[in-house]
Amino acid sequence: IRAQSPIHWGEFFGNRGWYITGYEEASMILKDLRFQNRMPLPETTKWFERLKEIQKQMVLYQNPPDHRKIRRLVNERFTPKVLERYVFMIEETAEQLFSHIKNDKKLDFIADFAFPLASTVIARLLGVPERDKDLFRRWALTLIDTIDLNRSRKSLVKGNECIVEMVHYFKSLILNSKRNRKNDLISVLVEEQNNDKLTEDEVLSTCILLLIAGHETTVNLISNAIYCLATNQEQQIKLREEPLLLKTAIEEVLRYESPTQLTARIASTDVIINQTQIKKGDHIYLFLGACNRDPKNFPNANTLDFAREPNPHLSFGAGIHFCLGSELAKIETKAALRTILKNTNSIQIDSKQLEWRNLTGFRALKELPVV
Ligand code: HEM
């Protein structure tokens, strides 16, 4: 499709719209404010009220000028300088987790390493109790299903229930934070609510978005990186010999096995993109993973090359919605890979047992059994 029709009109799981698989076209659309972010569930959909209300307030689904209000506030907490303070804690957490598992015969690198690492980090940043990790995992798995293109009605019912549970959970944390102010993100958001700059639903939506976005895709980046190492022994050896390649290796995993495969927009007016007329109200589905393998922009696009440079992949999006947590995700993945490479001589996985989750929008393994 990409070679013949990088902007392709089609229908997929009942979603009619423009399917974008070309890198240049996707970059243009992501940076063009005439294409607005849209909720996965249209407001006209009956039912799932709480799910819709909470999603509507998320910075991810907002457009200018509203988008700026929350984005500016949270940006301050995710700058490289602020994140520097967490590097030691992240590296130490990775080491500790690894020391607990390295003698286990049968282990799943997702459940035993990637997930506890990413959820511990986001829990500390946000200020939610780490002991509730298993709840976060269940919520993340449920909510990811609700935003996927081929979601079922059952997954929406579960997603709505999950949002009700999360709202209840965060309301009590917000109350605690009002009584006992700390230096975490929830306290920052609560202070804005006290100053009438944010509503309670905006605080709740931001907490929910950060908790889910903050660990689900990072778990997938760490596990996809381990998968790439194990299934490309030559590249694994190269990385062990040249640890300075770690930075470009992580960018290459982001490009080659993009954790977020799809995002969507809606045209707010008629627009022409590369001679294609897009009409006001048309839906646009951007296949980031496909764009990241566009041979026009990436030589030998289907080859994993840890030394690839430049590597301007679209895995974190582009434009005003560019991922807030991209630096954090990379710091965590660097710590995870450093720990694994330092403490092992070789990584092998049982590829017969590998299964990808049935999602269109995310590249996520169910389990990662390392032998
Ligand atoms: C936005 C991917 C990690 C928070 C995005 C977008 C992508 C993305 C593609 C843009 C969506 C769009 O334009 O429609 C990823 C990947 C990650 C990751 C692949 C890990 C490998 C994180 C982390 C956090 C985070 C760790 C938070 C701690 C967000 C937020 C937005 C966002 C809040 C919305 C930004 C806005 O709308 O202004 N992410 N993300 N992400 N991401 Fe991430």
Side-chain angles (χ1 to χ4, degrees):
I1 290 178
R2 184 181 48 223
Q4 285 163 21
S5 173
I7 306 187
H8 187 78
W9 180 259
E11 189 171 335
F12 192 56
F13 292 119
N15 300 280
R16 194 182 274 246
W18 295 102
Y19 284 81
I20 316 295
T21 48
Y23 179 91
E24 291 303 340
E25 293 79 0
S27 305
M28 271 191 262
I29 292 171
L30 286 168
K31 291 175 193 158
D32 187 332
L33 291 176
R34 290 173 297 176
F35 296 100
Q36 303 204 321
N37 228 341
R38 35 65 105 199
M39 300 242 301
L41 266 180
E43 280 184 69
T44 46
T45 313
K46 281 193 199 160
W47 306 296
F48 320 118
E49 289 306 327
R50 205 56 182 131
L51 181 61
K52 279 188 295 180
E53 275 162 18
I54 290 293
Q55 279 181 343
K56 196 173 156 191
Q57 310 286 334
M58 288 179 179
V59 65
L60 179 59
Y61 301 121
Q62 290 190 349
N63 291 295
D66 302 343
H67 171 263
R68 187 112 189 91
K69 181 170 82 169
I70 301 180
R71 177 72 198 222
R72 200 167 48 190
L73 188 67
V74 285
N75 261 350
E76 287 169 21
R77 286 282 170 145
F78 287 88
T79 60
K81 204 167 162 219
V82 171
L83 293 174
E84 269 286 317
R85 286 188 229 144
Y86 296 95
V87 172
F88 180 72
M89 176 277 280
I90 295 172
E91 285 176 348
E92 205 180 44
T93 309
E95 284 286 344
Q96 273 170 7
L97 284 167
F98 196 85
S99 69
H100 287 307
I101 59 170
K102 70 180 168 197
N103 296 326
D104 276 14
K105 286 237 166 53
K106 219 177 167 317
L107 57 94
D108 169 9
F109 249 91
I110 296 182
D112 299 322
F113 185 71
F115 165 67
L117 174 62
S119 55
T120 303
V121 172
I122 195 66
R124 291 205 187 155
L125 256 79
L126 262 177
V128 297
E130 285 162 44
R131 60 173 181 274
D132 295 335
K133 278 205 282 283
D134 291 342
L135 273 179
F136 311 158
R137 186 75 183 139
R138 178 166 61 77
W139 288 337
L141 292 173
T142 309
L143 287 180
I144 289 296
D145 281 345
T146 69
I147 56 173
D148 203 55
L149 271 196
N150 67 349
R151 60 184 166 241
S152 62
R153 203 191 134 74
K154 198 170 144 203
S155 71
L156 289 172
V157 174
K158 280 185 162 179
N160 201 51
E161 287 166 5
C162 173
I163 285 288
V164 173
E165 234 182 279
M166 289 185 87
V167 163
H168 183 71
Y169 177 84
F170 274 108
K171 272 193 172 174
S172 93
L173 288 183
I174 288 170
L175 201 69
N176 278 345
S177 172
K178 281 183 179 160
R179 290 194 194 120
N180 174 19
R181 195 183 188 288
K182 297 200 197 100
N183 187 30
D184 52 36
L185 242 166
I186 293 188
S187 303
V188 171
L189 296 169
V190 165
E191 190 160 306
E192 293 298 302
Q193 190 193 340
N194 290 341
N195 296 337
D196 290 330
K197 291 198 182 135
L198 291 181
T199 64
E200 186 182 52
D201 264 9
E202 283 173 330
V203 176
L204 288 166
S205 301
T206 308
C207 290
I208 292 173
L209 174 65
L210 290 177
L211 184 67
I212 304 301
H215 88 255
E216 175 61 22
T217 40
T218 311
V219 171
N220 297 333
L221 175 58
I222 297 172
S223 44
N224 292 359
I226 300 170
Y227 167 80
C228 284
L229 286 175
T231 49
N232 295 272
Q233 289 294 326
E234 207 186 288
Q235 293 291 311
Q236 185 182 150
I237 293 167
K238 191 167 158 182
L239 187 58
R240 286 180 186 279
E241 284 169 0
E242 292 176 64
L244 285 178
L245 286 182
L246 200 51
K247 193 167 176 282
T248 51
I250 293 171
E251 298 297 338
E252 180 66 344
V253 175
L254 278 157
R255 182 192 74 84
Y256 191 78
E257 294 292 4
S258 317
T260 304
Q261 291 276 323
L262 174 66
T263 188
R265 295 289 186 268
I266 189 163
S268 66
T269 178
D270 291 357
V271 187
I272 295 175
I273 293 282
N274 276 2
Q275 293 154 27
T276 304
Q277 171 77 65
I278 295 179
K279 289 252 160 59
K280 179 178 177 177
D282 284 354
H283 288 257
I284 294 110
Y285 300 96
L286 302 121
F287 279 84
L288 304 176
C291 300
N292 284 340
R293 292 199 187 199
D294 190 335
K296 283 198 225 132
N297 300 77
F298 300 95
N300 301 319
N302 288 326
T303 305
L304 179 84
D305 175 5
F306 281 168
R308 184 183 292 273
E309 253 180 330
N311 193 345
H313 60 74
L314 293 175
S315 297
F316 290 121
I320 63 164
H321 291 284
F322 183 82
C323 178
L324 171 76
S326 62
E327 276 309 312
L328 178 64
K330 287 193 257 186
I331 294 174
E332 289 180 47
T333 310
K334 207 170 179 184
L337 293 187
R338 257 205 202 128
T339 304
I340 293 170
L341 292 170
K342 194 175 92 188
N343 291 291
T344 60
N345 294 322
S346 164
I347 301 166
Q348 315 268 345
I349 49 175
D350 184 353
S351 37
K352 275 183 252 121
Q353 282 190 43
L354 282 185
E355 216 185 312
W356 296 93
R357 272 160 62 196
N358 186 20
L359 297 165
T360 313
F362 300 90
R363 183 79 167 143
L365 282 161
K366 280 190 180 167
E367 286 175 2
L368 189 52
V370 175
V371 286

